[in-house]
Amino acid sequence: LQTWHPVLHEVRVAALRQGRSNLQNFGEQDLSNFTWGLAKLQIRDQELMKMVGKEVEAKLFEFSHMGLVCTIWGFASLRLATPFLSRALDHIRASNVRMTPKDSTMLLWSMATLRHDTQRELLYHHVADHVIVPGASQFQAQDVSICLWAFCTARVDHPRVFRALVAQIAEREMTTSFTSQALANATWACAKMRAEATQMVKLATQEALRRPMRDWSPQAIVTLIWSSSEAQMPAVELLIAMLPELQRRPQAFNDRDLASLVYALKEALWPLEHAESRRTVLKCVSQEISRRHLPATVKMFKFLRSPPAAATK
């Protein structure tokens, strides 16, 4: 158990005392709520969850969409094998009940977290065609970010999903409702999939420059700069705005952040009039290499054939 409490211990003992028979009395809502609670508390009890999985599989057709989605989400959150997943997805696809934006978002997040195969890819297209595209106006900022992230993480190509959701961000001026990381993730997904990337980068950049840069995590702002680079749009304004933060709190930028930043500063992409800003940032990164063990950053410098002096001593 990752979370210990006498009550939680008693719950586990009660569930396992007589083996599977104790869980046989659980209905659809009991199993769903039980799984959801264990996941929220991050209680990764493989023996107990294996028994829960068997009960879910035995009672699969009693489950509502919401119950199935919450149960799958629980297993995905705990990074545990989900033996009933294939049958559950078939059940969802065959049902005439339309999922809500929240249910579809949770399901897509779970699918991306569990990784996917051909059969699961069909579910992405099912959700896209029956929920996201026709109902994009009902999706909130966090839902939009998770959906775009999930399609990108699973490498499922569905341009209409990206078109519909990015259009909603623009039309409803949704960028103000995004957290910095959610906005960065949505932009990353568009850039990675080369879908609506130009518009998303512009929207995200405008919002990022509107907010105090100190409120952004290094990961989020570097992700935006990287995404801009992937869209072949040098993030000049973002780079200038980020530089004081890099100078003020360099330790907050980890090896992956700095490596991604170096990659985004590929010389061929940057206009000559902003070469000085680029060099200043690379100098800051070079100084960090001399102070810390940053193997990914050093490797990226070498890959781009622009090694800093500190990295080549």
Side-chain angles (χ1 to χ4, degrees), residues 17 21 37 58 91 97 112 120 125 151 170-171 189 214 229 234 244 294:
R17 184 178 295 129
S21 60
H91 181 55
V97 179
R120 298 180 198 179
H125 287 276
F151 271 83
E171 291 170 14
R214 65 178 177 275
S229 172
L294 300 169

Side-chain angles (χ1 to χ4, degrees), residues 8 20 38 54 64 92 157 184 197 206 217 274 286 298 307:
L8 297 176
R20 185 180 174 213
L38 292 174
K54 289 179 179 179
S64 64
I92 290 172
D157 185 24
Q206 290 171 1
S217 69
H274 298 292
S286 175
V298 171

